[in-house]
Amino acid sequence: MKTNTTLIIILVTLLSLAGCKSSISLEDMQKQKSKAMSELTSAKKELIELADMKEKYSLDVRKEQVKTLEKRQKQVNKDIKSVKNVESTSAQKGANTMVDNLKSENDKLSKKISNLNSIKQEDWSSAKDSINQEFSRLEKKIQQLTSNVEVLNKMEVE
């Protein structure tokens, strides 16, 4: 009976020691760390690129709007010239009213163009700085999570 009890104790001890052994190796941790750092770098790059694109997009949209308004303004100026050339006296009164309306529209277009041109270009440099700071913080967290992995691995060997 004593041998059975001793055998059972040894068997339980061996099973519990085998159960404590981690199935994750140092190499697995290093691979996961590398993967996390790589994904973090990729995400950082994508966010910075997005901020750059947003700056360029807002500038391009503004340029396109100005271009469209200038095109419309040219058309209005042509219309003013053609309406002014009306020769009949009966149509002249209506032409004067039309010219006044076209000049008013032209003034509004000029004001819109001026307003668009005076809009300050979007500056996302502070957002980019914030992105860089956040990613540095995340990189430190990854380092913190994995800082004692090699120490733990050496402890298992000894």
Side-chain angles (χ1 to χ4, degrees):
M1 174 107 169
K2 222 176 188 188
T3 48
N4 283 345
T5 305
T6 307
L7 187 58
I8 290 174
I9 291 174
I10 291 173
L11 185 59
V12 169
T13 305
L14 286 175
L15 287 174
S16 60
L17 287 176
C20 290
K21 176 121 172 102
S22 176
S23 62
I24 298 174
S25 68
L26 175 61
E27 187 178 307
D28 293 336
M29 285 294 297
Q30 289 172 333
K31 283 181 184 177
Q32 186 60 34
K33 178 183 176 184
S34 293
K35 181 179 175 184
M37 291 298 279
S38 174
E39 303 247 345
L40 192 62
T41 301
S42 178
K44 178 181 176 182
K45 179 184 169 192
E46 293 297 325
L47 283 172
I48 296 293
E49 190 175 319
L50 176 62
D52 288 339
M53 286 179 78
K54 177 62 170 97
E55 283 179 352
K56 290 175 186 172
Y57 174 76
S58 62
L59 186 62
D60 289 348
V61 165
R62 185 177 71 197
K63 283 180 182 178
E64 193 60 39
Q65 289 173 342
V66 167
K67 186 178 173 181
T68 301
L69 290 172
E70 287 174 340
K71 187 176 178 181
R72 174 69 184 130
Q73 193 173 35
K74 284 180 184 178
Q75 184 60 48
V76 167
N77 286 329
K78 284 181 184 178
D79 291 347
I80 289 171
K81 285 179 184 177
S82 65
V83 171
K84 279 185 176 180
N85 291 332
V86 172
E87 293 181 11
S88 71
T89 53
S90 61
Q92 194 65 41
K93 187 176 180 178
N96 287 339
T97 304
M98 190 179 290
V99 166
D100 290 341
N101 290 338
L102 288 170
K103 283 182 179 180
S104 175
E105 182 179 354
N106 193 19
D107 290 343
K108 288 177 186 176
L109 290 169
S110 292
K111 188 173 182 174
K112 285 180 182 180
I113 291 169
S114 177
N115 287 340
L116 282 171
N117 284 328
S118 68
I119 293 173
K120 186 178 174 185
Q121 181 181 351
E122 289 186 24
D123 182 11
W124 287 82
S125 57
S126 63
K128 290 181 213 175
D129 290 342
S130 177
I131 289 167
N132 285 326
Q133 289 171 0
E134 285 299 313
F135 278 91
S136 292
R137 188 182 64 76
L138 290 171
E139 287 169 349
K140 286 177 185 175
K141 286 292 184 186
I142 291 172
Q143 292 297 336
Q144 185 181 20
L145 283 168
T146 59
S147 65
N148 65 347
V149 170
E150 290 181 10
V151 173
L152 289 173
N153 191 50
K154 287 179 183 177
M155 288 175 57
E156 284 183 14
V157 174
E158 294 173 358

